Amino acid sequence: MTTELPAASRGRSEALIRSRILQAIFERRLPPGEKLTEDRLAELFGVSRTVVRQALARLAQDGIVEQQPNRGAFVAAPSRADARHVLEARAVVEPEVAHAAACQCGAAALERLRRHIATENEARAAGDRGTLVRLTGEFHVTLAEAAGNPVFVRLLTELQALSSLSILLYARGEHAACPPHEHATIVGAIERGEAEEAARLMREHISHVAAEMDLSEPQERPVGLAQALGIKPRARRMPLR
């Protein structure tokens, strides 16, 4: 039986569980709809089910996990409407993040952003798709950290996880991550202190991400199983009297 952890250790364990789940979502190792079993997570992390339950509850508050009565917890599967809402929120928040970063980003934060972009380029050159997806998502959180606003960091962490799930479900073709070179262009404007330009480039960047996703609702829903499968139903024979 797993021993209950002290409150401080429990908090650190919850944060670790949340972080690992988010990383697995960024890297597309946890797809939408995947079940997150409390017993198995408790075993893997060496904590009690109470700690796991609290970590999952926090993720559920952020919309990243769905808790279903009598069934358990599942990785969220955003609808097309949910995905549109996430992108709309990003289009409002992230230009302000870029603007703030251009106004107050220090040398250390800039160097961290440059190193991050270099790591993205290495993953892209190596064809490491999972790592690239995670890194391009983390870039936006790193930029929020550079802006110096912890509320931006929390918002971007949640929005990037939901964006990754949405891309998994609705990406066109092999779209896997943010378009190449655009992060470097944004950081260049931030480095020059061009706040308005950084905000404009970020708005353009988010629109490019959205353009790579099929978020239009089907015009007509299938009526019945036969139509959904593209099969013309056979005429039913009248019973003999």
mmCIF file with all atom_site columns, all heavy atoms in Angstrom, residues 64-75:
data_model
loop_
_atom_site.group_PDB
_atom_site.id
_atom_site.type_symbol
_atom_site.label_atom_id
_atom_site.label_alt_id
_atom_site.label_comp_id
_atom_site.label_asym_id
_atom_site.label_entity_id
_atom_site.label_seq_id
_atom_site.pdbx_PDB_ins_code
_atom_site.Cartn_x
_atom_site.Cartn_y
_atom_site.Cartn_z
_atom_site.occupancy
_atom_site.B_iso_or_equiv
_atom_site.pdbx_formal_charge
_atom_site.auth_seq_id
_atom_site.auth_comp_id
_atom_site.auth_asym_id
_atom_site.auth_atom_id
_atom_site.pdbx_PDB_model_num
ATOM 1  N N   . ILE A 1 64 ? -8.013  19.967 -19.971 1.00 0.00 ? 64 ILE A N   1
ATOM 2  C CA  . ILE A 1 64 ? -7.085  19.061 -20.640 1.00 0.00 ? 64 ILE A CA  1
ATOM 3  C C   . ILE A 1 64 ? -7.475  17.605 -20.417 1.00 0.00 ? 64 ILE A C   1
ATOM 4  O O   . ILE A 1 64 ? -7.155  16.734 -21.215 1.00 0.00 ? 64 ILE A O   1
ATOM 5  C CB  . ILE A 1 64 ? -5.651  19.345 -20.144 1.00 0.00 ? 64 ILE A CB  1
ATOM 6  C CG1 . ILE A 1 64 ? -5.257  20.773 -20.557 1.00 0.00 ? 64 ILE A CG1 1
ATOM 7  C CG2 . ILE A 1 64 ? -4.651  18.336 -20.678 1.00 0.00 ? 64 ILE A CG2 1
ATOM 8  C CD1 . ILE A 1 64 ? -4.122  21.341 -19.763 1.00 0.00 ? 64 ILE A CD1 1
ATOM 9  N N   . VAL A 1 65 ? -8.167  17.348 -19.329 1.00 0.00 ? 65 VAL A N   1
ATOM 10 C CA  . VAL A 1 65 ? -8.667  16.012 -19.000 1.00 0.00 ? 65 VAL A CA  1
ATOM 11 C C   . VAL A 1 65 ? -10.172 16.090 -18.828 1.00 0.00 ? 65 VAL A C   1
ATOM 12 O O   . VAL A 1 65 ? -10.693 17.089 -18.319 1.00 0.00 ? 65 VAL A O   1
ATOM 13 C CB  . VAL A 1 65 ? -7.990  15.476 -17.712 1.00 0.00 ? 65 VAL A CB  1
ATOM 14 C CG1 . VAL A 1 65 ? -8.745  14.293 -17.128 1.00 0.00 ? 65 VAL A CG1 1
ATOM 15 C CG2 . VAL A 1 65 ? -6.554  15.085 -17.995 1.00 0.00 ? 65 VAL A CG2 1
ATOM 16 N N   . GLU A 1 66 ? -10.866 15.061 -19.286 1.00 0.00 ? 66 GLU A N   1
ATOM 17 C CA  . GLU A 1 66 ? -12.321 14.958 -19.082 1.00 0.00 ? 66 GLU A CA  1
ATOM 18 C C   . GLU A 1 66 ? -12.588 13.846 -18.080 1.00 0.00 ? 66 GLU A C   1
ATOM 19 O O   . GLU A 1 66 ? -12.091 12.723 -18.245 1.00 0.00 ? 66 GLU A O   1
ATOM 20 C CB  . GLU A 1 66 ? -13.020 14.633 -20.402 1.00 0.00 ? 66 GLU A CB  1
ATOM 21 C CG  . GLU A 1 66 ? -12.896 15.728 -21.445 1.00 0.00 ? 66 GLU A CG  1
ATOM 22 C CD  . GLU A 1 66 ? -13.510 15.331 -22.777 1.00 0.00 ? 66 GLU A CD  1
ATOM 23 O OE1 . GLU A 1 66 ? -13.903 14.143 -22.918 1.00 0.00 ? 66 GLU A OE1 1
ATOM 24 O OE2 . GLU A 1 66 ? -13.580 16.185 -23.670 1.00 0.00 ? 66 GLU A OE2 1
ATOM 25 N N   . GLN A 1 67 ? -13.332 14.161 -17.039 1.00 0.00 ? 67 GLN A N   1
ATOM 26 C CA  . GLN A 1 67 ? -13.695 13.166 -16.035 1.00 0.00 ? 67 GLN A CA  1
ATOM 27 C C   . GLN A 1 67 ? -15.146 12.756 -16.265 1.00 0.00 ? 67 GLN A C   1
ATOM 28 O O   . GLN A 1 67 ? -16.054 13.590 -16.195 1.00 0.00 ? 67 GLN A O   1
ATOM 29 C CB  . GLN A 1 67 ? -13.485 13.720 -14.634 1.00 0.00 ? 67 GLN A CB  1
ATOM 30 C CG  . GLN A 1 67 ? -12.007 13.945 -14.320 1.00 0.00 ? 67 GLN A CG  1
ATOM 31 C CD  . GLN A 1 67 ? -11.758 14.483 -12.931 1.00 0.00 ? 67 GLN A CD  1
ATOM 32 O OE1 . GLN A 1 67 ? -12.433 15.403 -12.490 1.00 0.00 ? 67 GLN A OE1 1
ATOM 33 N NE2 . GLN A 1 67 ? -10.773 13.929 -12.234 1.00 0.00 ? 67 GLN A NE2 1
ATOM 34 N N   . GLN A 1 68 ? -15.346 11.479 -16.533 1.00 0.00 ? 68 GLN A N   1
ATOM 35 C CA  . GLN A 1 68 ? -16.670 10.967 -16.863 1.00 0.00 ? 68 GLN A CA  1
ATOM 36 C C   . GLN A 1 68 ? -17.175 10.090 -15.734 1.00 0.00 ? 68 GLN A C   1
ATOM 37 O O   . GLN A 1 68 ? -16.454 9.180  -15.295 1.00 0.00 ? 68 GLN A O   1
ATOM 38 C CB  . GLN A 1 68 ? -16.612 10.173 -18.172 1.00 0.00 ? 68 GLN A CB  1
ATOM 39 C CG  . GLN A 1 68 ? -16.123 10.983 -19.359 1.00 0.00 ? 68 GLN A CG  1
ATOM 40 C CD  . GLN A 1 68 ? -16.054 10.182 -20.634 1.00 0.00 ? 68 GLN A CD  1
ATOM 41 O OE1 . GLN A 1 68 ? -16.615 9.095  -20.731 1.00 0.00 ? 68 GLN A OE1 1
ATOM 42 N NE2 . GLN A 1 68 ? -15.358 10.705 -21.637 1.00 0.00 ? 68 GLN A NE2 1
ATOM 43 N N   . PRO A 1 69 ? -18.387 10.349 -15.232 1.00 0.00 ? 69 PRO A N   1
ATOM 44 C CA  . PRO A 1 69 ? -18.936 9.565  -14.120 1.00 0.00 ? 69 PRO A CA  1
ATOM 45 C C   . PRO A 1 69 ? -18.935 8.073  -14.426 1.00 0.00 ? 69 PRO A C   1
ATOM 46 O O   . PRO A 1 69 ? -19.317 7.653  -15.523 1.00 0.00 ? 69 PRO A O   1
ATOM 47 C CB  . PRO A 1 69 ? -20.368 10.102 -13.983 1.00 0.00 ? 69 PRO A CB  1
ATOM 48 C CG  . PRO A 1 69 ? -20.326 11.469 -14.588 1.00 0.00 ? 69 PRO A CG  1
ATOM 49 C CD  . PRO A 1 69 ? -19.315 11.386 -15.696 1.00 0.00 ? 69 PRO A CD  1
ATOM 50 N N   . ASN A 1 70 ? -18.475 7.304  -13.465 1.00 0.00 ? 70 ASN A N   1
ATOM 51 C CA  . ASN A 1 70 ? -18.463 5.830  -13.536 1.00 0.00 ? 70 ASN A CA  1
ATOM 52 C C   . ASN A 1 70 ? -17.542 5.280  -14.621 1.00 0.00 ? 70 ASN A C   1
ATOM 53 O O   . ASN A 1 70 ? -17.544 4.073  -14.867 1.00 0.00 ? 70 ASN A O   1
ATOM 54 C CB  . ASN A 1 70 ? -19.875 5.273  -13.758 1.00 0.00 ? 70 ASN A CB  1
ATOM 55 C CG  . ASN A 1 70 ? -20.842 5.720  -12.681 1.00 0.00 ? 70 ASN A CG  1
ATOM 56 O OD1 . ASN A 1 70 ? -20.488 5.752  -11.502 1.00 0.00 ? 70 ASN A OD1 1
ATOM 57 N ND2 . ASN A 1 70 ? -22.043 6.091  -13.075 1.00 0.00 ? 70 ASN A ND2 1
ATOM 58 N N   . ARG A 1 71 ? -16.776 6.143  -15.280 1.00 0.00 ? 71 ARG A N   1
ATOM 59 C CA  . ARG A 1 71 ? -15.865 5.661  -16.331 1.00 0.00 ? 71 ARG A CA  1
ATOM 60 C C   . ARG A 1 71 ? -14.415 6.057  -16.063 1.00 0.00 ? 71 ARG A C   1
ATOM 61 O O   . ARG A 1 71 ? -13.509 5.358  -16.471 1.00 0.00 ? 71 ARG A O   1
ATOM 62 C CB  . ARG A 1 71 ? -16.290 6.210  -17.702 1.00 0.00 ? 71 ARG A CB  1
ATOM 63 C CG  . ARG A 1 71 ? -17.632 5.683  -18.198 1.00 0.00 ? 71 ARG A CG  1
ATOM 64 C CD  . ARG A 1 71 ? -17.800 5.987  -19.675 1.00 0.00 ? 71 ARG A CD  1
ATOM 65 N NE  . ARG A 1 71 ? -16.772 5.314  -20.455 1.00 0.00 ? 71 ARG A NE  1
ATOM 66 C CZ  . ARG A 1 71 ? -16.261 5.806  -21.582 1.00 0.00 ? 71 ARG A CZ  1
ATOM 67 N NH1 . ARG A 1 71 ? -16.643 6.982  -22.043 1.00 0.00 ? 71 ARG A NH1 1
ATOM 68 N NH2 . ARG A 1 71 ? -15.336 5.133  -22.250 1.00 0.00 ? 71 ARG A NH2 1
ATOM 69 N N   . GLY A 1 72 ? -14.191 7.191  -15.418 1.00 0.00 ? 72 GLY A N   1
ATOM 70 C CA  . GLY A 1 72 ? -12.834 7.612  -15.110 1.00 0.00 ? 72 GLY A CA  1
ATOM 71 C C   . GLY A 1 72 ? -12.413 8.854  -15.872 1.00 0.00 ? 72 GLY A C   1
ATOM 72 O O   . GLY A 1 72 ? -13.251 9.621  -16.363 1.00 0.00 ? 72 GLY A O   1
ATOM 73 N N   . ALA A 1 73 ? -11.091 9.052  -15.974 1.00 0.00 ? 73 ALA A N   1
ATOM 74 C CA  . ALA A 1 73 ? -10.527 10.253 -16.595 1.00 0.00 ? 73 ALA A CA  1
ATOM 75 C C   . ALA A 1 73 ? -9.945  9.908  -17.964 1.00 0.00 ? 73 ALA A C   1
ATOM 76 O O   . ALA A 1 73 ? -9.345  8.848  -18.146 1.00 0.00 ? 73 ALA A O   1
ATOM 77 C CB  . ALA A 1 73 ? -9.450  10.849 -15.699 1.00 0.00 ? 73 ALA A CB  1
ATOM 78 N N   . PHE A 1 74 ? -10.125 10.836 -18.906 1.00 0.00 ? 74 PHE A N   1
ATOM 79 C CA  . PHE A 1 74 ? -9.656  10.641 -20.276 1.00 0.00 ? 74 PHE A CA  1
ATOM 80 C C   . PHE A 1 74 ? -8.988  11.922 -20.766 1.00 0.00 ? 74 PHE A C   1
ATOM 81 O O   . PHE A 1 74 ? -9.392  13.026 -20.373 1.00 0.00 ? 74 PHE A O   1
ATOM 82 C CB  . PHE A 1 74 ? -10.819 10.304 -21.212 1.00 0.00 ? 74 PHE A CB  1
ATOM 83 C CG  . PHE A 1 74 ? -11.525 9.018  -20.877 1.00 0.00 ? 74 PHE A CG  1
ATOM 84 C CD1 . PHE A 1 74 ? -12.479 8.981  -19.865 1.00 0.00 ? 74 PHE A CD1 1
ATOM 85 C CD2 . PHE A 1 74 ? -11.235 7.850  -21.562 1.00 0.00 ? 74 PHE A CD2 1
ATOM 86 C CE1 . PHE A 1 74 ? -13.135 7.792  -19.547 1.00 0.00 ? 74 PHE A CE1 1
ATOM 87 C CE2 . PHE A 1 74 ? -11.887 6.662  -21.247 1.00 0.00 ? 74 PHE A CE2 1
ATOM 88 C CZ  . PHE A 1 74 ? -12.836 6.626  -20.238 1.00 0.00 ? 74 PHE A CZ  1
ATOM 89 N N   . VAL A 1 75 ? -7.984  11.773 -21.618 1.00 0.00 ? 75 VAL A N   1
ATOM 90 C CA  . VAL A 1 75 ? -7.415  12.939 -22.284 1.00 0.00 ? 75 VAL A CA  1
ATOM 91 C C   . VAL A 1 75 ? -8.516  13.592 -23.109 1.00 0.00 ? 75 VAL A C   1
ATOM 92 O O   . VAL A 1 75 ? -9.266  12.912 -23.813 1.00 0.00 ? 75 VAL A O   1
ATOM 93 C CB  . VAL A 1 75 ? -6.234  12.535 -23.190 1.00 0.00 ? 75 VAL A CB  1
ATOM 94 C CG1 . VAL A 1 75 ? -5.686  13.750 -23.933 1.00 0.00 ? 75 VAL A CG1 1
ATOM 95 C CG2 . VAL A 1 75 ? -5.132  11.881 -22.370 1.00 0.00 ? 75 VAL A CG2 1
#
